[in-house]
Amino acid sequence: MKRNFSCLCGANVRLDYSEEIDIDENNGYFDEIQNGTFMSVSCSSCGKKHKPELKIIVIWKSKNLKMEVIPELERGEFYRRKKHNQSVQTIISFPEMADRLAVIKDNLEPVVIETLKSFLLTKAAENYPENDINAWYCCCSQEGIEFHLDGIRQGEIAVMKIPQELYNKTRDDYRKHPKKDIYTSLRVGSYLSVQNLFRSEAFR
Protein backbone atom coordinates (compact mmCIF):
# COMPACT_ATOMS: atom_id res chain seq x y z
CA MET A 1 0.00 0.00 0.00
CA LYS A 2 1.05 3.60 -0.59
CA ARG A 3 0.09 6.50 1.64
CA ASN A 4 0.90 10.13 0.89
CA PHE A 5 0.95 12.88 3.50
CA SER A 6 2.39 16.35 3.86
CA CYS A 7 5.50 17.20 5.84
CA LEU A 8 5.62 20.38 7.94
CA CYS A 9 8.02 21.79 5.36
CA GLY A 10 5.28 21.47 2.72
CA ALA A 11 6.81 18.59 0.82
CA ASN A 12 4.85 15.46 -0.07
CA VAL A 13 5.99 12.29 1.69
CA ARG A 14 5.14 8.81 0.43
CA LEU A 15 5.08 5.78 2.67
CA ASP A 16 5.07 2.28 1.21
CA TYR A 17 3.79 -0.29 3.69
CA SER A 18 2.09 -3.66 4.03
CA GLU A 19 -1.43 -3.83 5.46
CA GLU A 20 -0.62 -7.31 6.79
CA ILE A 21 2.70 -8.47 8.18
CA ASP A 22 3.78 -12.00 9.08
CA ILE A 23 6.49 -12.18 11.71
CA ASP A 24 7.30 -15.82 10.96
CA GLU A 25 8.02 -14.94 7.33
CA ASN A 26 10.05 -11.84 8.22
CA ASN A 27 11.40 -11.63 11.75
CA GLY A 28 12.85 -8.26 10.85
CA TYR A 29 9.40 -6.82 11.48
CA PHE A 30 9.68 -7.75 15.16
CA ASP A 31 13.03 -5.99 15.50
CA GLU A 32 11.77 -2.88 13.71
CA ILE A 33 8.70 -2.69 15.94
CA GLN A 34 10.80 -3.01 19.08
CA ASN A 35 13.45 -0.46 18.10
CA GLY A 36 10.89 2.07 16.82
CA THR A 37 11.86 2.08 13.16
CA PHE A 38 8.79 0.20 11.93
CA MET A 39 6.81 2.13 9.34
CA SER A 40 9.03 5.20 9.60
CA VAL A 41 9.94 7.40 6.66
CA SER A 42 12.05 10.54 6.21
CA CYS A 43 11.07 13.59 4.20
CA SER A 44 13.25 13.78 1.09
CA SER A 45 13.13 17.56 1.28
CA CYS A 46 13.98 18.45 4.89
CA GLY A 47 14.97 15.08 6.35
CA LYS A 48 12.35 15.11 9.11
CA LYS A 49 11.44 11.62 10.26
CA HIS A 50 7.77 10.64 10.28
CA LYS A 51 6.20 7.64 11.96
CA PRO A 52 2.51 7.58 11.10
CA GLU A 53 0.23 5.04 12.76
CA LEU A 54 -1.90 3.17 10.25
CA LYS A 55 -4.17 0.19 10.69
CA ILE A 56 -2.41 -3.11 10.04
CA ILE A 57 -2.85 -6.82 10.71
CA VAL A 58 -0.07 -8.68 12.50
CA ILE A 59 0.19 -12.45 12.09
CA TRP A 60 2.52 -14.69 14.10
CA LYS A 61 1.34 -18.22 13.37
CA SER A 62 4.00 -19.98 15.44
CA LYS A 63 2.65 -18.05 18.46
CA ASN A 64 -0.99 -18.56 17.46
CA LEU A 65 -1.40 -14.79 17.17
CA LYS A 66 -3.46 -12.64 14.85
CA MET A 67 -4.26 -9.09 15.82
CA GLU A 68 -5.44 -5.87 14.31
CA VAL A 69 -3.49 -2.78 15.27
CA ILE A 70 -5.41 0.46 15.03
CA PRO A 71 -4.10 4.02 15.49
CA GLU A 72 -4.35 5.80 18.81
CA LEU A 73 -6.51 8.40 17.08
CA GLU A 74 -9.18 5.72 16.54
CA ARG A 75 -9.42 4.74 20.24
CA GLY A 76 -12.68 6.62 20.74
CA GLU A 77 -14.18 5.12 17.60
CA PHE A 78 -13.26 1.62 18.81
CA TYR A 79 -14.98 2.12 22.17
CA ARG A 80 -18.11 3.36 20.41
CA ARG A 81 -18.41 0.19 18.34
CA LYS A 82 -21.49 -1.87 19.14
CA LYS A 83 -19.95 -5.07 17.80
CA HIS A 84 -16.40 -6.38 17.87
CA ASN A 85 -14.76 -9.04 15.72
CA GLN A 86 -13.85 -11.64 18.33
CA SER A 87 -11.87 -13.72 15.81
CA VAL A 88 -8.97 -11.29 15.94
CA GLN A 89 -7.34 -9.52 18.88
CA THR A 90 -7.23 -5.73 18.89
CA ILE A 91 -4.35 -3.51 19.93
CA ILE A 92 -4.55 0.28 19.96
CA SER A 93 -1.37 2.19 19.05
CA PHE A 94 2.08 1.09 17.95
CA PRO A 95 3.58 1.31 21.48
CA GLU A 96 0.97 -1.21 22.67
CA MET A 97 1.80 -3.39 19.67
CA ALA A 98 5.49 -3.44 20.62
CA ASP A 99 4.56 -4.19 24.23
CA ARG A 100 2.24 -7.09 23.36
CA LEU A 101 4.67 -8.68 20.91
CA ALA A 102 7.43 -8.59 23.52
CA VAL A 103 5.10 -10.33 25.98
CA ILE A 104 4.21 -12.98 23.41
CA LYS A 105 7.85 -13.53 22.47
CA ASP A 106 8.70 -14.23 26.12
CA ASN A 107 5.84 -16.77 26.31
CA LEU A 108 3.95 -14.84 28.99
CA GLU A 109 0.17 -14.53 29.25
CA PRO A 110 -0.98 -11.06 28.18
CA VAL A 111 -3.94 -11.00 30.60
CA VAL A 112 -1.58 -11.66 33.52
CA ILE A 113 0.86 -8.96 32.39
CA GLU A 114 -2.00 -6.46 32.05
CA THR A 115 -3.21 -7.43 35.52
CA LEU A 116 0.24 -6.78 36.98
CA LYS A 117 0.29 -3.42 35.20
CA SER A 118 -3.00 -2.57 36.91
CA PHE A 119 -1.40 -3.23 40.31
CA LEU A 120 1.48 -0.89 39.48
CA LEU A 121 -0.69 1.85 37.99
CA THR A 122 -3.20 1.79 40.83
CA LYS A 123 -0.37 2.27 43.33
CA ALA A 124 1.22 4.97 41.17
CA ALA A 125 -2.11 6.81 40.91
CA GLU A 126 -2.37 6.87 44.70
CA ASN A 127 1.03 8.53 44.99
CA TYR A 128 0.78 10.77 41.92
CA PRO A 129 -2.95 11.43 41.39
CA GLU A 130 -2.40 14.32 38.98
CA ASN A 131 -0.03 12.46 36.66
CA ASP A 132 -0.81 10.55 33.48
CA ILE A 133 1.25 7.40 34.01
CA ASN A 134 1.77 4.45 31.67
CA ALA A 135 3.24 1.03 32.40
CA TRP A 136 5.10 -0.99 29.78
CA TYR A 137 6.42 -4.53 29.86
CA CYS A 138 10.20 -4.63 29.47
CA CYS A 139 11.59 -8.10 30.03
CA CYS A 140 11.56 -11.25 32.13
CA SER A 141 14.54 -12.61 34.06
CA GLN A 142 15.36 -14.65 37.13
CA GLU A 143 14.94 -11.44 39.12
CA GLY A 144 11.31 -11.13 38.01
CA ILE A 145 9.13 -9.28 35.54
CA GLU A 146 10.46 -5.81 34.74
CA PHE A 147 8.16 -2.92 33.84
CA HIS A 148 8.93 0.65 32.88
CA LEU A 149 6.63 3.44 34.06
CA ASP A 150 6.60 6.83 32.38
CA GLY A 151 4.83 9.97 33.53
CA ILE A 152 5.88 9.99 37.17
CA ARG A 153 8.63 12.54 36.57
CA GLN A 154 9.15 14.41 33.33
CA GLY A 155 11.88 12.88 31.21
CA GLU A 156 12.43 9.95 33.56
CA ILE A 157 11.49 6.27 33.44
CA ALA A 158 10.79 4.37 36.65
CA VAL A 159 11.89 0.72 36.64
CA MET A 160 9.69 -1.65 38.64
CA LYS A 161 10.27 -5.37 39.12
CA ILE A 162 7.58 -7.81 40.16
CA PRO A 163 8.69 -11.18 41.56
CA GLN A 164 8.19 -14.20 39.34
CA GLU A 165 6.23 -15.76 42.18
CA LEU A 166 3.56 -13.06 41.92
CA TYR A 167 3.32 -13.59 38.16
CA ASN A 168 2.89 -17.33 38.70
CA LYS A 169 0.31 -16.81 41.45
CA THR A 170 -1.71 -14.39 39.29
CA ARG A 171 -1.47 -16.72 36.28
CA ASP A 172 -2.72 -19.69 38.30
CA ASP A 173 -5.58 -17.64 39.74
CA TYR A 174 -6.59 -16.46 36.27
CA ARG A 175 -6.61 -20.00 34.93
CA LYS A 176 -8.85 -21.11 37.79
CA HIS A 177 -11.11 -18.04 37.85
CA PRO A 178 -11.00 -16.32 34.42
CA LYS A 179 -14.36 -14.63 35.04
CA LYS A 180 -13.20 -12.61 38.03
CA ASP A 181 -13.84 -8.90 37.70
CA ILE A 182 -10.14 -8.16 37.95
CA TYR A 183 -9.62 -10.02 34.66
CA THR A 184 -12.83 -9.33 32.76
CA SER A 185 -12.57 -5.58 33.42
CA LEU A 186 -9.37 -5.57 31.37
CA ARG A 187 -11.33 -6.45 28.24
CA VAL A 188 -13.57 -4.39 26.02
CA GLY A 189 -14.71 -6.51 23.12
CA SER A 190 -11.60 -7.81 21.37
CA TYR A 191 -9.30 -5.38 23.16
CA LEU A 192 -7.32 -6.56 26.19
CA SER A 193 -5.46 -3.75 27.91
CA VAL A 194 -4.98 -2.07 31.26
CA GLN A 195 -5.97 1.10 29.41
CA ASN A 196 -9.57 -0.09 29.63
CA LEU A 197 -9.49 0.49 33.38
CA PHE A 198 -8.38 4.10 33.05
CA ARG A 199 -10.36 5.22 30.01
CA SER A 200 -12.36 8.41 30.31
CA GLU A 201 -16.02 8.36 31.25
CA ALA A 202 -16.87 9.40 27.70
CA PHE A 203 -15.74 5.98 26.50
CA ARG A 204 -17.60 3.87 29.03
Side-chain angles (χ1 to χ4, degrees), residues 107-118:
N107 297 313
L108 300 172
E109 293 198 31
V111 66
V112 180
I113 293 298
E114 297 302 309
T115 302
L116 297 180
K117 286 182 187 178
S118 74

Side-chain angles (χ1 to χ4, degrees), residues 3 44 50 99 101 141 146 148 153 161 177-178 186 190 201 203:
R3 179 67 65 91
S44 59
H50 297 270
D99 182 283
L101 291 179
S141 68
E146 182 174 316
H148 289 176
R153 291 185 178 87
K161 291 184 179 179
H177 311 287
L186 292 165
S190 54
E201 291 298 323
F203 296 146

Side-chain angles (χ1 to χ4, degrees), residues 5-70:
F5 55 93
S6 296
C7 180
L8 292 175
C9 73
N12 183 63
V13 180
R14 188 180 78 172
L15 173 68
D16 295 320
Y17 74 101
S18 299
E19 291 182 289
E20 182 175 294
I21 64 172
D22 189 320
I23 293 179
D24 285 320
E25 291 183 358
N26 185 352
N27 195 252
Y29 283 130
F30 180 88
D31 296 332
E32 290 176 7
I33 290 169
Q34 296 304 317
N35 64 32
T37 61
F38 178 70
M39 207 178 286
S40 62
V41 61
S42 297
C43 175
S44 59
S45 179
C46 70
K48 179 178 174 58
K49 291 185 177 180
H50 297 270
K51 191 179 176 183
E53 284 194 0
L54 302 171
K55 183 177 179 178
I56 62 170
I57 297 292
V58 178
I59 297 174
W60 201 350
K61 293 179 182 177
S62 62
K63 297 290 188 178
N64 194 30
L65 176 70
K66 181 178 182 181
M67 65 182 184
E68 64 169 358
V69 182
I70 63 178

Side-chain angles (χ1 to χ4, degrees), residues 71-136:
E72 179 64 42
L73 290 174
E74 295 183 15
R75 181 178 293 272
E77 179 182 336
F78 173 84
Y79 282 128
R80 286 189 289 268
R81 290 183 192 175
K82 294 183 178 180
K83 293 183 179 180
H84 296 271
N85 182 3
Q86 299 291 347
S87 66
V88 59
Q89 299 178 38
T90 298
I91 287 292
I92 302 177
S93 83
F94 280 12
E96 280 199 9
M97 169 176 62
D99 182 283
R100 181 59 51 82
L101 291 179
V103 170
I104 297 297
K105 180 178 182 294
D106 289 344
N107 297 313
L108 300 172
E109 293 198 31
V111 66
V112 180
I113 293 298
E114 297 302 309
T115 302
L116 297 180
K117 286 182 187 178
S118 74
F119 298 161
L120 294 173
L121 290 176
T122 298
K123 186 64 176 179
E126 292 175 0
N127 295 324
Y128 306 94
E130 302 301 320
N131 294 25
D132 184 14
I133 303 171
N134 294 300
W136 306 98

